[in-house]
């Protein structure tokens, strides 16, 4: 399992793209993610969780470039694969990141549905008082209030706010690291496996060390 078309090469392409994306080297990152995706589909099959991981990365990249429809397609594809593999926390992550995109575009109703999807996914396996679930429920409640609030701003101010949202998309560094946290990924795939080296669920691994192939 070596060479430029191996799964190890796919992981190297993926990790290099993760390093380039926060540096705004988006064209290079896209080419590398595409190479990683092609190899993983060929070697692992199109339903493998690592295929979903690459699709999620590509969704974040599309979001950074303002390619909303392309991002939506990739988010949905990755989410469906993770759901089929029983990776509930990663399903929740996908809902959250797509929800952030919808909220940033001012699509509050759509964002509400996506954040509710995150909440429902987390509720499947976390206790009610878990911080991640509490935060997700709070996000839903805030969006509900925002959706039901009477309009008070002038159209001109709303236009300025909308322009600002488009100019300042969600910061993706934490998103890249969440989706590529190997410790979380492995624990989700093999919940009965021995505990790995300590690390938090959020960003415990850097992009450079994320998603490394096991020997």
């Amino acid at each position: 399992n070596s060479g430029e078309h191996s799964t190890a090469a796919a992981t190297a392409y993926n990790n290099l793209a993760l390093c380039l994306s926060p540096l705004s080297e988006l064209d290079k990152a896209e080419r590398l993610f595409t190479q990683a995706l092609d190899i993983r589909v060929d070697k692992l099959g199109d339903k493998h969780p690592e295929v979903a991981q690459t699709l999620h990365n590509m969704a974040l990249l599309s979001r950074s470039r303002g390619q909303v429809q392309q991002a939506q397609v990739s988010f949905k594809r990755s989410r469906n694969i993770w759901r089929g593999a029983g990776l509930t926390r990663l399903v929740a992550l996908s809902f959250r990141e797509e929800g952030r995109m919808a909220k940033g575009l001012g699509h509050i109703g759509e964002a509400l549905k996506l954040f509710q999807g995150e909440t429902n996914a987390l509720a499947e396996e976390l206790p009610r008082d878990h911080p991640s679930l509490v935060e997700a429920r709070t996000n839903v409640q805030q969006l509900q209030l925002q959706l039901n609030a009477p309009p008070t701003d002038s159209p001109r101010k709303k236009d300025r706010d909308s322009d600002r949202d488009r100019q300042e998309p969600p910061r993706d560094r934490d998103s890249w690291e969440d989706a590529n946290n190997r410790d979380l990924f492995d624990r989700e795939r093999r919940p009965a496996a021995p505990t790995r080296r300590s690390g938090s669920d959020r960003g415990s691994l850097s992009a450079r060390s994320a998603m490394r192939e096991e020997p």
Side-chain angles (χ1 to χ4, degrees):
N1 189 30
S2 61
E4 63 181 14
H5 299 296
S6 67
T7 55
T11 299
Y13 294 146
N14 181 77
N15 291 344
L16 180 55
L18 289 169
C19 295
L20 293 173
S21 297
L23 301 175
S24 298
E25 296 282 351
L26 302 184
D27 290 338
K28 293 179 182 178
E30 182 178 19
R31 288 194 296 271
L32 289 164
F33 280 139
T34 300
Q35 286 179 278
L37 180 64
D38 289 345
I39 292 171
R40 284 176 167 174
V41 169
D42 181 57
K43 300 294 184 181
L44 303 173
D46 60 3
K47 301 299 183 184
H48 194 279
E50 290 187 13
V51 170
Q53 181 263 342
T54 306
L55 285 167
H56 184 86
N57 287 339
M58 296 176 79
L60 294 175
L61 185 67
S62 296
R63 183 177 75 179
S64 296
R65 305 179 84 164
Q67 298 169 336
V68 176
Q69 291 184 340
Q70 189 170 330
Q72 289 172 328
V73 170
S74 296
F75 276 129
K76 186 174 182 179
R77 287 181 63 191
S78 64
R79 192 158 59 238
N80 287 341
I81 295 171
W82 279 332
R83 182 183 287 113
L87 304 181
T88 308
R89 296 287 290 276
L90 294 173
V91 171
L93 172 67
S94 175
F95 274 122
R96 184 184 76 201
E97 295 304 330
E98 188 176 354
R100 290 176 67 201
M101 179 176 70
K103 183 180 178 182
L105 292 170
H107 302 162
I108 303 304
E110 181 182 351
L112 177 59
K113 292 178 183 178
L114 291 162
F115 279 109
Q116 186 63 63
E118 178 198 12
T119 302
N120 293 342
L122 291 174
E124 291 181 19
E125 67 171 60
L126 297 180
R128 185 171 179 80
D129 59 350
H130 191 282
S132 295
L133 184 53
V134 171
E135 180 183 2
R137 287 200 306 268
T138 299
N139 289 336
V140 168
Q141 291 167 358
Q142 291 174 344
L143 285 169
Q144 288 172 332
L145 290 174
Q146 189 172 349
L147 189 64
N148 295 327
T152 56
D153 294 335
S154 67
R156 181 174 297 178
K157 183 177 185 302
K158 287 183 178 180
D159 289 342
R160 290 199 304 268
D161 290 344
S162 179
D163 290 342
R164 185 190 61 222
D165 288 338
R166 286 174 172 80
Q167 293 167 5
E168 301 177 6
R171 295 184 179 274
D172 286 322
R173 182 175 296 277
D174 288 343
S175 304
W176 299 119
E177 294 188 358
D178 275 348
N180 297 278
N181 183 331
R182 189 73 194 190
D183 185 54
L184 172 62
F185 191 86
D186 284 346
R187 185 164 62 254
E188 281 286 281
R189 289 177 64 188
R190 298 190 293 276
T195 304
R196 289 178 167 267
R197 195 172 180 176
S198 62
S200 67
D201 280 357
R202 182 175 180 79
S204 64
L205 300 183
S206 70
R208 289 179 176 80
S209 63
M211 295 298 293
R212 295 190 184 279
E213 290 290 329
E214 296 179 354

